[in-house]
Amino acid sequence: MSADRVLTPERFATGMTFDQYLEYIGTPASLAREAGWWRGPERMDWTGPLRFLRDWGAMQRSPFFKVWASAAIDEMLSALYEQRILGALPDPCRA
């Protein structure tokens, strides 16, 4: 690796934030460049998937995700209780 490609604190400070990078890769000039040997001239706009991954990660780190996951487990347990104990749902094992 050449010395100009080493990531120093000074070089890092001249970089972009994640939101600035998403704006840059979605510009028509960036999308018009050739994608590379594996996609040829076609270039995909990755801003949507990258924003989704960033937001999904933030949601998983928030208290909301724990509440949501707990609610999903509660729903499954309720359905099993209704099926096995109350007999409200048909037993899929006996079908």
Side-chain angles (χ1 to χ4, degrees):
M1 180 176 269
S2 64
D4 64 329
R5 299 299 303 162
V6 175
L7 187 57
T8 63
E10 294 79 22
R11 183 167 173 250
F12 181 78
T14 64
M16 301 180 206
T17 66
F18 189 74
D19 289 326
Q20 290 170 332
Y21 177 71
L22 289 178
E23 287 178 28
Y24 165 73
I25 64 171
T27 61
S30 176
L31 293 172
R33 290 183 289 129
E34 186 173 331
W37 63 268
W38 60 282
R39 286 193 67 113
E42 180 184 352
R43 190 157 173 97
M44 182 177 169
D45 182 3
W46 288 95
T47 55
L50 288 174
R51 278 194 181 101
F52 169 78
L53 291 174
R54 179 196 57 194
D55 295 342
W56 179 255
M59 196 241 340
Q60 286 182 325
R61 290 185 298 276
S62 74
F64 171 77
F65 186 74
K66 292 176 183 164
V67 171
W68 177 67
S70 176
I73 292 169
D74 290 345
E75 285 292 319
M76 288 183 254
L77 291 174
S78 294
L80 285 172
Y81 176 79
E82 288 177 9
Q83 178 184 9
R84 299 295 180 179
I85 306 302
L86 302 179
L89 301 172
D91 187 353
C93 297
R94 298 180 190 221

